[in-house]
Amino acid sequence: MPAPTPDEKSSAAVATLRAAAERGDADALTDLFAPDVVFHSPMTMRLSFEGRDEVVALHRDIFAVLEDLQTTEPLSRGAEWSFSFSATVRGVPLEAHNLLRFNPEAQIVENTIFVRPLPALATLFATLPPRVSTRRRSRLHGTVAGLLALPLAFALRTADRLVPKFL
């Protein structure tokens, strides 16, 4: 039997990632990420997470705040793969698109996530950074991050309910 091609290895990695995400199992992702993986935040271009250990720890935080995560079938083009997923964060429905770039060894070297709609992104922004800040820095940093993001989440959820009535 011939050895799997890079495309077959990447396909298997994406399938493993999707299954682990649906189970909320960040530890199952460890071998999928290259040692120098970069995760681009969906919330700001000012922050990326770098390195396998940090990206796996970030996924533990992500899976702790997302509920009912369901993925879609992936799409691929060369070394790039993508799939969408839906979930809820604090009861707010969220849709996201995951863009992955692989190295020749079929490890993820770059992971970028795009989130919609704005109220879901704002709720994620008010929920995830406090957890990450507490893990990476301190409980005080986490509390401050949460307090700074909370008004934005409230404003965007309120605007989402009211603005469409004016359109």
Side-chain angles (χ1 to χ4, degrees):
M1 179 178 221
T5 66
D7 282 348
E8 291 169 333
K9 288 180 183 178
S10 295
S11 178
V14 172
T16 299
L17 173 62
R18 291 177 54 223
E22 289 181 357
R23 290 190 317 270
D25 183 3
D27 293 324
L29 304 177
T30 302
D31 294 336
L32 302 179
F33 294 120
D36 59 346
V37 64
V38 176
F39 181 96
H40 300 284
S41 171
M43 295 176 247
T44 178
M45 292 183 72
R46 296 178 185 268
L47 180 64
S48 293
F49 296 85
E50 298 180 9
R52 178 186 288 147
D53 292 342
E54 181 60 30
V55 172
V56 170
L58 175 63
H59 277 82
R60 279 189 204 98
D61 293 329
I62 292 167
F63 296 156
V65 302
L66 295 182
E67 297 174 355
D68 304 318
L69 194 146
Q70 298 294 314
T71 64
T72 64
E73 289 298 314
L75 302 170
S76 70
R77 182 171 184 188
E80 292 184 350
W81 287 73
S82 67
F83 64 89
S84 296
F85 65 89
S86 62
T88 58
V89 56
R90 290 188 178 169
V92 179
L94 171 144
E95 294 177 355
H97 191 78
N98 201 342
L99 179 62
L100 306 166
R101 193 167 53 80
F102 285 84
N103 65 18
E105 291 78 37
Q107 292 178 310
I108 300 167
V109 292
E110 193 171 4
N111 186 354
T112 305
I113 295 184
F114 305 91
V115 177
R116 69 169 301 273
L118 277 175
L121 179 60
T123 302
L124 184 64
F125 193 60
T127 306
L128 187 57
R131 183 179 183 90
V132 174
S133 293
T134 297
R135 174 179 53 82
R136 294 177 84 199
R137 296 184 182 259
S138 71
R139 181 173 287 168
L140 176 62
H141 281 89
T143 300
V144 171
L147 290 173
L148 290 172
L150 202 55
L152 177 64
F154 173 77
L156 287 174
R157 284 192 307 266
T158 302
D160 186 57
R161 284 191 291 273
L162 297 177
V163 170
K165 294 177 182 184
F166 294 96
L167 299 178

